[in-house]
Amino acid sequence: MSKFMTDRAQVIENPVTIDIDVSHTLTKTALINEMKLPEDSVLIGWFANWIDRKRPLDVVELASLAKARKSRPMVFLLFGEAREPLNTVVMDRISELGLEYCVFVMGARSPIEPYIAACDVLISTAENEGLGRTLIEAMLLETPV
């Protein structure tokens, strides 16, 4: 590479690394036990910053549609820092729809990888977003997206 290019080049490190070995079965069992959920629960995870374009209310509406199913219990877990005013709006909607038994605001957790691995599926409701980092992390952990 020429000196001209070397002076202008910048190395950008890979921001996505998964250096831990996690087991879906073990992490899911631990989360189900922590939350005292039915053993056959389907864990549906949403991981995002609580901003409008991430659309956390869509997760609540999806849970409302899913509650009519009579199969295994579906549990929707919203991870990330629950910021105002969205936190109040989301909590009010959960209450209005009577979904306190199946929609849980989990807050920010670290490390997040075991929680992603614990989920049976990860959903993304974001709009106007490229390929989100969370989607890549989920795929690296073999969590369906």
Side-chain angles (χ1 to χ4, degrees):
M1 186 182 313
S2 72
K3 171 112 171 80
F4 173 75
M5 291 303 291
T6 305
D7 292 343
R8 297 183 69 187
Q10 180 180 2
V11 175
I12 300 173
E13 299 295 329
N14 181 357
V16 181
T17 57
I18 304 294
D19 292 333
I20 62 172
D21 184 22
V22 292
S23 160
H24 169 70
T25 303
L26 294 176
T27 56
K28 180 176 180 177
T29 299
L31 189 54
I32 282 176
N33 289 339
E34 172 191 330
M35 299 183 66
K36 298 175 179 42
L37 297 170
E39 286 182 21
D40 63 340
S41 294
V42 177
L43 303 184
I44 301 164
W46 179 87
F47 299 79
N49 291 317
W50 285 56
I51 55 177
D52 285 330
R53 75 175 172 82
K54 299 290 188 170
R55 299 175 8 186
L57 264 179
D58 285 3
V59 180
V60 179
E61 299 301 330
L62 179 61
S64 179
L65 294 171
K67 81 176 182 179
R69 294 181 53 100
K70 301 295 181 207
S71 62
R72 293 168 51 196
M74 290 189 223
V75 178
F76 293 79
L77 308 170
L78 287 83
F79 288 89
E81 183 183 343
R83 300 176 186 158
E84 294 299 342
L86 275 176
N87 181 52
T88 298
V89 172
V90 168
M91 295 305 289
D92 288 350
R93 189 67 175 145
I94 291 168
S95 182
E96 282 172 25
L97 296 171
L99 299 173
E100 297 89 348
Y101 70 97
C102 70
V103 180
F104 299 94
V105 174
M106 303 298 290
R109 306 267 179 123
S110 183
I112 198 66
E113 293 87 359
Y115 297 99
I116 294 173
C119 292
D120 294 298
V121 66
L122 181 140
I123 59 173
S124 174
T125 55
E127 64 182 351
N128 297 323
E129 182 168 81
L131 180 60
R133 176 182 171 148
T134 304
L135 301 177
I136 296 168
E137 290 171 331
M139 288 186 272
L140 287 170
L141 291 164
E142 299 180 6
T143 299
V145 176

